[in-house]
Amino acid sequence: MYMCCIRCACFQERASEDTKEVECFQQLLRDRTEEFIDEALAPYFGGIISFVKEVDPLLESGQTDDIKVDKDHLMKLVRGFTANWKSSIDALNRQVMADFVNFKNGTAILQ
């Protein structure tokens, strides 16, 4: 991730126009960024993310009768989120800013 971020920044600074190489590294950076975000969020919000990924498609398709929710588990997720969201966001901010030398890429990921 680090090398892709650096290469993309170098290409963007030195290329006078969008070249095939710049586009290739931008796409690679986007792909790796999505993977990075998923991996970075998992330790802090993995339970809630899994729940939403499981339930959201059923809600979207109107299959509400197929939703099976363990209320105790859901309440544990909600309480954990409520108690830890701010410290989790702070830890994620520190991690992203340490992992991305390009400030522009780092702040884009944080958003």
Side-chain angles (χ1 to χ4, degrees):
M1 188 69 177
Y2 173 80
M3 291 306 295
C4 184
C5 181
I6 290 174
R7 285 182 183 137
C8 205
C10 288
F11 276 132
Q12 288 172 332
E13 287 177 10
R14 290 182 172 78
S16 59
E17 58 187 61
D18 286 338
T19 64
K20 184 177 179 180
E21 290 83 9
V22 171
E23 290 176 20
C24 179
F25 275 102
Q26 286 174 337
Q27 183 60 48
L28 183 62
L29 181 62
R30 280 191 295 274
D31 293 345
R32 297 297 86 78
T33 299
E34 288 178 26
E35 292 172 9
F36 175 86
I37 291 169
D38 290 342
E39 289 179 24
L41 289 175
Y44 304 103
F45 305 113
I48 289 178
I49 291 169
S50 294
F51 176 78
V52 170
K53 284 183 177 180
E54 180 183 323
V55 172
D56 194 48
L58 297 172
L59 290 172
E60 289 291 323
S61 64
Q63 299 173 335
T64 56
D65 293 338
D66 295 338
I67 299 173
K68 310 253 186 296
V69 176
D70 177 350
K71 291 181 183 178
D72 292 333
H73 179 67
L74 181 58
M75 288 307 297
K76 182 180 173 185
L77 289 174
V78 171
R79 285 188 192 111
F81 177 84
T82 302
N84 300 314
W85 72 270
K86 184 163 180 22
S87 62
S88 296
I89 295 295
D90 290 341
L92 283 166
N93 284 342
R94 286 190 302 275
Q95 179 183 354
V96 167
M97 295 316 287
D99 289 345
F100 287 84
V101 295
N102 182 308
F103 185 74
K104 182 179 174 184
N105 289 337
T107 53
I109 289 169
L110 290 174
Q111 291 175 358

